[in-house]
Amino acid sequence: MSSVLTDLFPHPIVQAPMAGGVSVPQLAAAVSDAGGLGFLAAGYKTADGMYQEIKQLRGLTSRPFGVNLFLPQPETADPAAVDVYAHQLAGEASWYETELGDPESGRDDGYDAKLAVLLDNPVPVVSFHFGVPAREVIDALHRVGTLTFVTATTAEEARAVERAGADVVIAQGVEAGGHQGTHRDLLETDGSGIGLLSLVAQVRESVGIPIVAAGGIMRGGQIAAVCAAGARAAQLGTAFVAAHESGAHALHKQALTNPLFARTELTRAFSGRPARALVNRFVREHGPYAPAAYPQVHHLTAPLRKAAAKAGDAQGLALWAGQGHRMARELPAGQLVEVLVAELASARTALSAGGAR
Ligand SMILES: Cc1cc2nc3c(=O)[nH]c(=O)nc-3n(C[C@H](O)[C@H](O)[C@H](O)COP(=O)(O)O)c2cc1C
């Protein structure tokens, strides 16, 4: 790893920020204490909610950690398409005995207020999803001693991340669970996104800043592979969804390895932006016509997802998961880091002996 990263976390393992209550402070603390980099997800929270989690995390660990922000989205959604989708979801609302949410409940995710908190109360790392922050934002974070990571899904996006002055690019392959962090919402949901190993190699030849690789990584041998391809560390989401400390709904954890959920798909059904989830009834029924309207669709479906969780119905939940979900291991997060580090070491030994399994 580059020294800027090894100083922060000795093992090349980043626990992905996971909005929606998954990457709680207990999870981030366990990962950072084990020598990885734990992350909090500020997405969908208020600025104060984010601040309270940071304070809680600081009480749990003295190790470095990161906080993730969503970039505000441009006004591109067609209100008529959102309206049509609301009509298509009416049957869900009556089935779960709830109302649909207000699609206009806010588009900027409280970005400016969250940045203000992070500038007043600096944290070691801030990462950004869904775009590139302005250079002034990155400069301001640097002035308070914060490193900046930004997601890219193509080599072109990675160049934009480097041009903006960020310290690290997170190369996110199409295998990744949750939302694709494309800078603009142009990705088709047909799987035409770039696979991680191709992406890391392309990004390596396009930028000079360190790369963190994300998407489908569940074993230490895969971390060895992306590092051999040019990444300095790997960011794992789905692997940590299953960890004991993760705040994921029990149904979400169980679904990762339940043979009834055989595959994942990129879908706009829950949020209006392509995100990878286990294919359940909701994805099958509504994915084919869900409009490109983020975050309006996220707000629209929020009460449905809440009601499905309350009813214990995994068929109505957003079961975010990467392509490696069947390999999830239900372990304490610190132990998961240790196992990954041991697998990484043996894969590196095998690679240097020229005979990886
Ligand atoms: C449940 C879940 C929630 C996620 N939420 C966020 C988020 O809030 N911010 C973010 O930058 N990435 C988020 N991601 C994407 C991860 O950063 C990462 O790209 C992905 O988990 C890597 O693929 P994997 O899940 O196969 O390991 C999320 C992923 C999952 C599985």
Side-chain angles (χ1 to χ4, degrees):
M1 272 204 291
S2 78
S3 68
V4 67
L5 298 187
T6 20
D7 291 351
L8 276 181
F9 50 109
H11 302 313
I13 297 170
V14 178
Q15 165 249 307
M18 291 180 279
V22 179
S23 53
V24 291
Q26 291 79 0
L27 178 64
V31 173
S32 289
D33 281 345
L37 184 68
F39 253 97
L40 295 174
Y44 313 134
K45 289 193 178 310
T46 60
D48 187 55
M50 175 194 77
Y51 181 52
Q52 296 307 324
E53 280 209 333
I54 293 171
K55 282 206 295 195
Q56 202 186 334
L57 178 53
R58 286 199 192 283
L60 294 170
T61 183
S62 53
R63 300 286 312 154
F65 62 90
V67 175
N68 175 252
L69 299 182
F70 290 164
L71 268 296
Q73 298 301 294
E75 178 68 87
T76 51
D78 173 3
V82 177
D83 217 32
V84 170
Y85 195 48
H87 280 96
Q88 288 163 323
L89 292 178
E92 297 282 345
S94 62
W95 172 252
Y96 288 115
E97 295 179 341
T98 184
E99 303 285 319
L100 292 172
D102 175 3
E104 293 308 330
S105 310
R107 271 193 302 118
D108 67 357
D109 200 44
Y111 181 71
D112 290 338
K114 287 172 189 171
L115 268 178
V117 170
L118 293 169
L119 291 172
D120 282 348
N121 307 273
V123 297
V125 176
V126 172
S127 76
F128 297 87
H129 212 50
F130 299 146
V132 187
R135 181 173 263 281
E136 304 80 71
V137 168
I138 291 179
D139 289 347
L141 286 166
H142 284 164
R143 280 197 295 277
V144 297
T146 298
L147 286 176
T148 53
F149 295 14
V150 183
T151 305
T153 60
T154 63
E156 191 190 358
E157 288 181 350
R159 282 192 289 273
V161 170
E162 184 175 54
R163 275 199 305 275
D167 301 285
V168 170
V169 59
I170 301 166
Q172 187 196 37
V174 75
E175 304 92 331
H179 283 97
Q180 286 283 300
T182 46
H183 295 181
R184 284 187 297 154
D185 182 6
L186 297 173
L187 183 67
E188 296 300 328
T189 52
D190 64 357
S192 58
I194 305 171
L196 184 61
L197 216 47
S198 302
L199 181 64
V200 169
Q202 291 170 39
V203 171
R204 176 72 291 148
E205 295 192 5
S206 304
V207 300
I209 55 176
I211 302 168
V212 170
I217 298 176
M218 305 299 285
R219 296 285 185 265
Q222 293 169 283
I223 301 175
V226 291
C227 289
R232 300 285 171 78
Q235 176 162 306
L236 288 71
T238 304
F240 285 108
V241 170
H244 289 187
E245 296 87 343
S246 130
H249 195 291
L251 291 172
H252 189 174
K253 292 187 181 187
Q254 286 156 14
L256 295 176
T257 51
N258 180 342
L260 285 177
F261 296 100
R263 63 185 193 88
T264 63
E265 195 171 286
L266 282 179
T267 182
R268 295 181 189 274
F270 297 107
S271 74
R273 227 183 190 275
R276 187 170 295 283
L278 294 170
V279 177
N280 60 5
R281 183 191 60 75
F282 197 96
V283 172
R284 262 193 309 275
E285 284 187 20
H286 305 297
Y289 47 70
Y294 175 89
Q296 288 86 341
V297 171
H298 164 80
H299 295 312
L300 200 61
T301 66
L304 298 179
R305 288 177 276 123
K306 208 168 158 190
K310 203 167 154 209
D313 181 4
Q315 298 299 335
L317 290 178
L319 301 169
W320 305 131
Q323 288 181 341
H325 63 94
R326 294 295 284 277
M327 299 172 83
R329 298 176 279 208
E330 273 204 39
L331 292 172
Q335 203 179 322
L336 180 55
V337 172
E338 281 169 25
V339 171
L340 290 166
V341 168
E343 289 169 350
L344 170 64
S346 67
R348 281 185 167 154
T349 308
L351 273 175
S352 61
R357 273 200 301 147

